[in-house]
Amino acid sequence: MNRVYNFSAGPSMLPEEVLKQAQKELVVYGDTGMSVMEMSHRSKDFKDIIDEAESLLREIMNIPDNYKVLFLQGGASSQFAMVPLNLFRNSKKADYVNTGQWSRKAIAEAKRYGTVNIVASSEDSTFNYIPELDPNTFSKDADYFYITTNNTIYGTRYTEIPDTGDIPLVADMSSNILSEEYDVTKFGVIFAGAQKNMGPAGLTVVIIREDLIGHAMDITPTMFNYKTHADNGSMFNTPPTYSIYIAKLVFEWVKKMGGVSALEKINKEKASILYDFLDNSNFYKGTVVPKDRSLMNIPFVTNSKELDEKFVKEAAKKGLVNLKGHRTVGGMRASIYNAMPIEGVKALVEFMKEFEIENR
Ligand SMILES: Cc1ncc(COP(=O)(O)O)c(C=O)c1O
């Protein structure tokens, strides 16, 4: 069977050349006589892999030396607890912006350990926009300020990063890391599950400013303390070795593509093909306020649930799969992460035109 265009929100498409490289090296990696999956995480060969992964990520994201890069497990969801456990150190207060289900989950977790001030929310309109932020409402003594840079389910993204002054800005970048350029120095902590733009599930990347490490609450479990992992080069216990290896291949691919800035350009082009089509259609409708539209996740609907269902089924028959919207919002959602080629987006638009003619 041929490969399909996979519009899944995550785990998602990986670059085909990464998969082929992994296939070539699957059984025997280099001159080791074994698969990466079979290697000791403490071996020199694996050390080279993780070191190279870190140095590539530092290069493509331009991560300064005073930040640690951690390769962890537990998914982005574990970060919802790790962030407050490690960053609540003085007032035990934090500001959160509520832009969807993932930030809501992060808020619920933080409330277990301290006080959460929700500075803004877009819940009043099914999270289809990013709320305006008024710095006057920010807590002066917050231990950190939390945002979700891209909201996977609703298809919104911040086009402007809030200026929080000396208060560390924490960002869940799970669904848009490496898709557009960010100035890492604006953040205290960036975290992301790997399974959208970096590699297979099982790996969570944390980028954290060094001065924020080492102040965890007493109740913090050892494995949830950033210091544990920072002091041990992400080798306190067995890290997700194979996922780290694939992430290294993805980082190499990003570099070969011209880096994050080149991918950002392609991503903008890909997204605008779909948004332009939606904006000119009387049959389909994009659900997000135009100024806050995501480059990665594009939700849209027809005017009937039955047609939406039919669309998803018929698209799949044409090799355009996983277009069903999140179970809580319905409709359709096209996730077009870095690895989705522009041809995939064009094929989707062609199918949308055909489907419209047949079902108008
Ligand atoms: C923005 C965002 N944050 C957090 C998560 C949760 O990630 P995980 O499944 O790795 O815990 C997701 C998953 O899709 C996500 O999109």
Side-chain angles (χ1 to χ4, degrees):
M1 185 183 176
N2 290 331
R3 277 174 65 75
V4 292
Y5 288 122
N6 178 6
F7 293 90
S8 165
S12 339
M13 280 185 89
L14 284 165
E16 196 167 330
E17 55 181 275
V18 164
L19 294 174
K20 288 194 166 143
Q21 177 75 19
Q23 180 182 41
K24 252 201 268 169
E25 299 177 332
L26 179 72
V27 179
V28 175
Y29 178 77
D31 58 4
T32 65
M34 64 179 81
S35 171
V36 173
M37 278 182 255
E38 302 168 305
M39 268 177 204
S40 162
H41 58 295
R42 309 222 178 261
S43 64
K44 158 95 174 60
D45 293 302
F46 185 71
K47 178 94 175 58
D48 288 349
I49 291 171
I50 196 170
D51 286 350
E52 180 65 8
E54 177 174 341
S55 114
L56 282 161
L57 186 63
R58 284 187 180 278
E59 183 181 345
I60 57 183
M61 284 187 75
N62 204 7
I63 302 171
D65 289 344
N66 63 327
Y67 284 73
K68 290 276 188 204
V69 173
L70 309 177
F71 294 108
L72 308 182
Q73 306 194 42
S77 300
S78 292
Q79 295 308 310
F80 298 163
M82 272 179 96
V83 165
L85 281 166
N86 284 268
L87 268 54
F88 274 151
R89 55 193 278 202
N90 295 316
S91 66
K92 299 200 170 24
K93 273 194 231 162
D95 285 351
Y96 276 71
V97 185
N98 182 16
T99 51
Q101 284 195 36
W102 298 115
S103 49
R104 205 153 56 190
K105 286 189 176 174
I107 288 165
E109 209 63 20
K111 279 185 175 165
R112 297 160 63 92
Y113 309 109
T115 308
V116 169
N117 170 35
I118 297 172
V119 289
S121 168
S122 47
E123 193 157 14
D124 59 350
S125 180
T126 334
F127 298 113
N128 75 343
Y129 69 103
I130 299 288
E132 288 292 323
L133 299 179
D134 173 4
N136 290 320
T137 63
F138 298 1
S139 312
K140 304 276 175 295
D141 58 345
D143 283 333
Y144 63 94
F145 190 106
Y146 183 104
I147 60 169
T148 311
T149 48
N150 184 78
N151 295 279
T152 327
I153 296 173
Y154 305 94
T156 59
R157 101 186 210 272
Y158 287 75
T159 47
E160 225 176 282
I161 295 302
D163 180 359
T164 57
D166 290 340
I167 302 206
L169 180 61
V170 175
D172 175 357
M173 259 188 212
S174 293
S175 51
N176 76 334
I177 194 161
L178 302 181
S179 72
E180 60 182 290
E181 282 192 295
Y182 280 107
D183 177 356
V184 174
T185 64
K186 296 226 151 65
F187 299 88
V189 181
I190 293 171
F191 68 83
Q195 63 270 23
K196 302 165 203 300
N197 263 339
M198 291 190 288
L203 166 67
T204 310
V205 171
V206 175
I207 300 161
I208 177 166
R209 218 175 58 212
E210 276 169 355
D211 61 286
L212 299 173
I213 300 173
H215 314 283
M217 296 171 80
D218 289 344
I219 56 161
T220 307
T222 307
M223 278 293 287
F224 269 42
N225 193 327
Y226 290 130
K227 188 166 165 45
T228 303
H229 303 286
D231 285 353
N232 290 282
S234 302
M235 296 272 192
F236 172 74
N237 69 327
T238 318
T241 52
Y242 199 73
S243 296
I244 292 169
Y245 155 73
I246 299 283
K248 180 196 83 113
L249 297 182
V250 172
F251 300 156
E252 278 166 358
W253 174 82
V254 170
K255 190 173 163 185
K256 209 173 103 190
M257 293 293 287
V260 176
S261 61
L263 286 173
E264 176 174 342
K265 227 169 122 210
I266 301 170
N267 287 330
K268 284 187 170 153
E269 193 183 338
K270 276 163 29 187
S272 71
I273 292 173
L274 198 41
Y275 285 127
D276 287 350
F277 177 72
L278 289 171
D279 286 345
N280 288 305
S281 169
N282 297 319
F283 186 79
Y284 303 98
K285 193 163 85 63
T287 54
V288 171
V289 168
K291 74 175 179 45
D292 299 325
R293 286 165 162 177
S294 167
L295 300 176
M296 299 282 98
N297 312 97
I298 305 189
F300 58 95
V301 291
T302 66
N303 62 10
S304 98
K305 272 192 181 155
E306 290 69 34
L307 269 184
D308 289 352
E309 270 170 36
K310 188 172 174 199
F311 179 97
V312 171
K313 274 198 198 124
E314 293 196 1
K317 286 190 204 143
K318 298 266 162 97
L320 307 165
V321 310
N322 286 323
L323 281 160
K324 194 169 184 315
H326 190 269
R327 61 186 187 282
T328 56
V329 291
M332 280 77 75
R333 171 179 50 172
S335 294
I336 52 172
Y337 297 112
N338 285 348
M340 172 62 70
I342 198 159
E343 292 76 22
V345 179
K346 288 182 179 163
L348 173 61
V349 169
E350 281 316 303
F351 172 74
M352 289 168 81
K353 287 180 191 163
E354 281 167 33
F355 185 83
E356 176 175 348
I357 292 168
E358 281 160 24
N359 294 278
R360 203 163 20 205

